[in-house]
Amino acid sequence: MTDCLSSPAERLDSVLATLRENGMGVRISTSPSVLEAHSHGEAMDAARLPAAVVFAEATDDVAAVLRACHAHRVPVVAFGAGTSVEGHVTPAEHAISLDLSGMTDIVELNAEDLDCRVQAGLTRQALNAQIRDTGLFFPVDPGGEATLGGMCATRASGTAAVRYGTMKENVLGLTVVLATGEVVRTGGRVRKSSTGYDLTSLFIGSEGTLGIITEVQLRLHGRPETISAAVCQFANLNDAVQTAIEIIQCGIPISRVELLDDVQMAASIRYSGLSGYEPLTTLFFEFAGAPAAVAEQVTQTEAIALSNNGLSFAWADTAEDRTRLWKARHDAFWAAKAIEPTARVISTDCIVPISRLGELIAGVREDIARSGLRVPLLGHVGDGNFHALIITDHTPQGYARALDLDRKIVFRALALGGSCSGEHGVGMGKLEFLETEHGDGTLSVMRALKNTMDPHHILNPGKLLPPGRIYQG
Ligand SMILES: Cc1cc2nc3c(=O)[nH]c(=O)nc-3n(C[C@H](O)[C@H](O)[C@H](O)COP(=O)(O)OP(=O)(O)OC[C@H]3O[C@@H](n4cnc5c(N)ncnc54)[C@H](O)[C@@H]3O)c2cc1C
């Protein structure tokens, strides 16, 4: 039964009435503070209150919500931890925000096969804490305290992607509730399979626009025998970038290589209380493996850094020192924000093939100098991915100047064969770049997929795909 001729408010009431009849009334909230908390993610100003928030505890709850929303044409946006930065979770008008953060069970742990199945609301930090005794860990580590479902939906990565890959490489299968409320399982537990279309990959990075993920089958990895971390500072940004490029080109299996420029390093020293470092451009390294392999990686890396005028290697030997260092790296966004606490920070996220990274960063530095804005640079340079954290005020002029710089940086990356987003995703913030990056034909196929899987466009409408031509076949 559909009621598309009634008003959006009446249709929403019908959905809520259906859910209450199904015994889900206690999971529905319209409290102002709950609505506010679900009206936006991080970083982007875009905000709109959802009409109601529903807290799911099981796949069946998600299916019940989507069945009702599909029948009554009510938009629904999945909400994990709300750490996404491109307006991903900002609801459409009269939408339900479907919060999965209460779905935190480890459904199965197969230590002998190095995999596990978890509910989508579990965070990667909670997963790692719970499986610590197995000697295994899950390596994908975005800076925010994100849920694994949200990380699938944004195809997230982090500091360890250079060694372990992104969510794309670390998810074996999914349970997904489709727009109609039908539940499907994709993939499986095996490391490879040659059967059928790769639907797991289709849902990874789909930002809640094709289905809602309720369970994730994850690859786990053995904790390395030896881990060693070091820091090398440089007087010149180009030397640091060149060092990162050469490390990757030489095939050194480094676990992490992160860049913080002098502005970011000064901010992180202040914010995270890092001692013993100068406010200079810095590379953070981590090496992992058997002791002999780590020693070899260290020797090769040190030689490359010193040949590029690295000032010296400082070691973070103890687990506490390493934790302090990587926590400082993960807190870099908040350190940049603390430079001007009342300002706003817009983070670019472009990525280029590693050989073009030096050229891109040199051009970006020129754009920043011309903009007159304060912009720390940092990033996962081993992947060719970096963030310019554009600090601006809240005036329309300040915002326009920041967006102008953002666009210049993105178009530089696209011209070098890159992408406008290496890890944050599209949401609303990157919509304008998709046609340049993918071309009209490719986008028309994506729109056809969206129409097939979500014919009434109830799933996170207005995100990921700009309007346009639909491939007809
Ligand atoms: C300080 C900081 C540092 C960050 N660093 C990184 C980084 O290094 N790397 C990186 O990749 N990202 C980073 N991010 C961005 C963010 O943490 C990631 O995008 C993360 O994957 C979002 O997860 P979440 O659980 O918060 O999802 P949310 O923000 O709640 O949702 C994100 C999107 O996924 C959809 N969604 C959520 N759950 C589901 C589900 N179960 N099924 C279907 N769709 C769903 C939502 O509708 C939305 O479109 C950072 C953010 C911050 C604030």
Side-chain angles (χ1 to χ4, degrees), residues 41-42 77-85 88-89 100 120 141-159 207-209 211-214 329-330 333-334 380 387 423-424 460 463:
E42 296 285 355
V77 53
F79 192 99
T83 66
S84 49
V85 293
H88 296 73
V89 290
L100 290 102
D141 64 338
E145 182 127 8
T147 64
L148 288 153
M151 288 164 61
C152 288
T154 58
R155 206 183 292 127
S157 56
T159 61
E207 302 185 1
T209 64
I212 297 192
I213 298 160
T214 57
R329 167 61 192 89
H330 279 128
F333 177 80
W334 307 114
H380 317 303
H387 309 301
E423 55 183 22
H424 292 165
N460 208 6
K463 315 293 166 53

Side-chain angles (χ1 to χ4, degrees), residues 53-106:
V53 178
V54 180
F55 292 91
E57 287 180 2
T59 299
D60 284 350
D61 295 342
V62 176
V65 171
L66 291 195
R67 258 194 317 273
C69 287
H70 184 74
H72 298 287
R73 316 288 197 253
V74 168
V76 53
V77 53
F79 192 99
T83 66
S84 49
V85 293
E86 297 289 354
H88 296 73
V89 290
T90 301
E93 269 188 77
H94 305 288
I96 286 180
S97 178
L98 182 53
D99 187 317
L100 290 102
S101 63
M103 294 180 60
T104 57
D105 288 349
I106 297 180

Side-chain angles (χ1 to χ4, degrees), residues 110-196:
N110 308 304
E112 65 284 12
D113 290 321
L114 288 85
D115 74 68
C116 69
R117 190 167 193 90
V118 302
Q119 286 188 311
L122 188 70
T123 65
R124 55 121 190 146
Q125 288 93 334
L127 171 64
N128 280 331
Q130 290 179 57
I131 63 173
R132 193 183 309 275
D133 290 348
T134 62
L136 302 173
F137 79 114
F138 183 70
V140 184
D141 64 338
E145 182 127 8
T147 64
L148 288 153
M151 288 164 61
C152 288
T154 58
R155 206 183 292 127
S157 56
T159 61
V162 66
R163 171 78 172 262
Y164 295 100
T166 71
M167 288 307 279
K168 182 169 173 276
E169 289 80 29
N170 285 284
V171 173
L172 296 167
L174 298 169
T175 300
V176 182
V177 183
L178 303 177
T180 55
E182 187 176 340
V183 180
V184 295
R185 272 175 86 127
T186 71
R189 286 187 51 211
V190 287
R191 295 289 149 140
K192 58 184 193 177
S193 160
S194 298
T195 59

Side-chain angles (χ1 to χ4, degrees), residues 141 157-163 230-232 234 240-241 244 247-248 254-261 265 281-286 325-326 328-330 332 377-387 423:
D141 64 338
S157 56
T159 61
V162 66
R163 171 78 172 262
V231 160
C232 184
F234 296 81
V241 174
I247 288 168
I248 301 302
I254 197 157
S255 298
R256 294 164 157 172
V257 49
E258 294 285 314
L259 174 117
L260 287 77
D261 81 348
M265 197 59 191
T281 295
T282 305
L283 287 176
F284 288 10
F285 301 107
E286 188 174 274
L325 201 60
W326 292 112
R329 167 61 192 89
H330 279 128
L377 296 181
L378 74 157
H380 317 303
V381 281
D383 302 325
N385 182 206
F386 78 98
H387 309 301
E423 55 183 22

